[in-house]
Amino acid sequence: MKGRFLASKCVSFFISCCIALLLTANSWAVELSEIKERGVIRHIGIPYANFVTGSGDGMDVELVKLFAQHLGVKYEYVPSSWGEVIGDLTGKNILRKGDDVQTIGSVPIKGDIIANGFTVIPWRKKVVDFSTHTFPTQVWLLTRADSALKPIKPSGDTEKDIAAVKALLKGHHILGTANSCLDPDLYNLSETEAKISLFEGSPNKLAPAVMNGDSEATLLDVPDALIALEKWPGKFKIIGPISQPQEMACGFDKSSVELREEFNRFLDDCERNGTFRKLVIKYYPSVFDYYPDFFTRK
């Protein structure tokens, strides 16, 4: 009887070890040499603004395709969502609480690089390494043109401007998006006594939701706000900033050091030879009016 018990314990221990090894292996991200051997780089993306349009193009789609050519491998697009994108890259199921993160399990790794207007924010930096910054951004409050809310007068001090916007929000209905840079929790909007709702659809639909009267206002970052202002002229107004200036970049698993460094070298070359600027002009021509110095860093 004792022998059977020991045998059963050994089998259970063996199974547990196998599961642990599988989970550990699942969390290993591929390196540059493995991507070249595989012959394909997997681009994890979410349709968002003009970075990933959902129609097979977009600024980040073209950028990663050029990177694939640089590496001499094929390009593959892997669709994801804001709640799953980090797990698709790292193999880790992440639970976020404010700026803190906790790994609560493992998920299959589906890709090698996140590129879809991915904003660098503190909690993401704990689980993902970022490339050189690719795009300037900031979170703004956007309303319909007929809203009673009026744009603030810029003071030249972003903190004062943010405080001025927040002072207007009591009682007003505002949309945000969880697990993204548009998450109201990141900016302590609950303290403003605004009526906050989390939008269940794509962030691309936030401006149309406001235009259709589903909400008076929404959080929106610079790229999507620029698109909304251009696509529906006269329908919206920007009240002011909700965040400090931010940057967007491509995301890599923390173990993919060589891949990230090679991408940064590639991006540097693209900036020097004008390729990157041409992509920006193609997809975001008006951004130069707001951030004239960002794309002349070299």
Side-chain angles (χ1 to χ4, degrees):
M1 191 73 177
K2 183 177 181 181
R4 290 181 180 176
F5 174 76
L6 289 174
S8 176
K9 293 287 286 183
C10 287
V11 170
S12 297
F13 178 74
F14 175 76
I15 292 172
S16 297
C17 287
C18 288
I19 292 173
L21 285 171
L22 286 171
L23 292 178
T24 302
N26 187 52
S27 67
W28 294 342
V30 295
E31 259 304 354
L32 180 58
S33 59
E34 296 174 70
I35 289 174
K36 289 184 176 181
E37 183 177 351
R38 185 206 302 151
V40 62
I41 186 166
R42 302 167 299 177
H43 168 202
I44 307 170
I46 306 163
Y48 183 59
N50 277 352
F51 296 107
V52 178
T53 66
S55 300
D57 63 353
M59 180 177 145
D60 280 357
V61 171
E62 290 201 35
L63 186 63
V64 181
K65 284 182 176 179
L66 288 172
F67 184 47
Q69 293 177 19
H70 169 80
L71 295 178
V73 299
K74 294 180 180 179
Y75 168 89
E76 178 183 328
Y77 178 70
V78 179
S80 188
S81 66
W82 291 108
E84 298 176 345
V85 66
I86 288 178
D88 289 344
L89 176 75
T90 65
K92 299 174 183 177
N93 190 9
I94 299 297
L95 177 66
R96 180 186 69 83
K97 293 183 178 180
D99 284 340
D100 294 323
V101 294
Q102 179 183 357
T103 301
I104 58 174
S106 297
V107 294
I109 292 174
K110 297 181 180 179
D112 311 307
I113 175 175
I114 297 172
N116 50 240
F118 200 49
T119 302
V120 180
I121 46 182
W123 73 267
R124 285 178 177 162
K125 292 172 70 174
K126 295 180 179 180
V127 289
V128 169
D129 279 344
F130 287 93
S131 69
T132 303
H133 299 156
T134 57
F135 207 85
T137 188
Q138 189 175 25
V139 177
W140 292 342
L141 186 74
L142 176 140
T143 70
R144 293 191 308 276
D146 60 359
S147 169
L149 289 169
K150 298 186 181 299
I152 65 162
K153 183 178 181 179
S155 68
D157 184 324
T158 306
E159 280 298 331
K160 290 182 179 178
D161 291 347
I162 292 170
V165 173
K166 287 183 174 181
L168 302 174
L169 302 186
K170 183 177 180 179
H172 293 277
H173 186 204
I174 299 171
L175 290 176
T177 306
N179 299 311
S180 76
C181 65
L182 305 179
D183 193 326
D185 285 346
L186 294 176
Y187 312 108
N188 300 317
L189 290 194
S190 60
E191 299 175 358
T192 68
E193 298 184 48
K195 299 175 183 178
I196 298 169
S197 298
L198 293 178
F199 190 65
E200 297 296 331
S202 165
N204 283 347
K205 303 296 184 181
L206 283 167
V210 170
M211 187 167 60
N212 293 336
D214 297 337
S215 176
E216 181 181 1
T218 186
L219 303 185
L220 216 60
D221 62 10
V222 167
D224 218 12
L226 293 180
I227 291 172
L229 293 173
E230 293 168 5
K231 189 172 183 179
W232 297 288
K235 297 292 185 180
F236 298 109
K237 58 185 177 183
I238 304 297
I239 303 304
I242 290 293
S243 79
Q244 287 285 343
Q246 301 170 326
E247 292 86 23
M248 292 174 166
C250 297
F252 297 84
D253 186 85
K254 287 186 172 292
S255 68
S256 297
V257 178
E258 292 179 1
L259 181 62
R260 179 175 56 82
E261 290 178 347
E262 185 63 26
F263 180 83
N264 284 341
R265 285 190 287 270
F266 156 78
L267 183 60
D268 186 64
D269 288 342
C270 287
E271 290 180 328
R272 290 181 186 278
N273 64 32
T275 300
F276 185 70
R277 186 177 182 86
K278 289 178 182 177
L279 282 178
V280 177
I281 292 172
K282 179 178 179 178
Y283 289 102
Y284 289 101
S286 64
V287 72
F288 297 96
D289 296 334
Y290 296 87
Y291 298 92
D293 299 327
F294 185 88
F295 301 100
T296 56
R297 296 171 292 175
K298 301 298 183 184

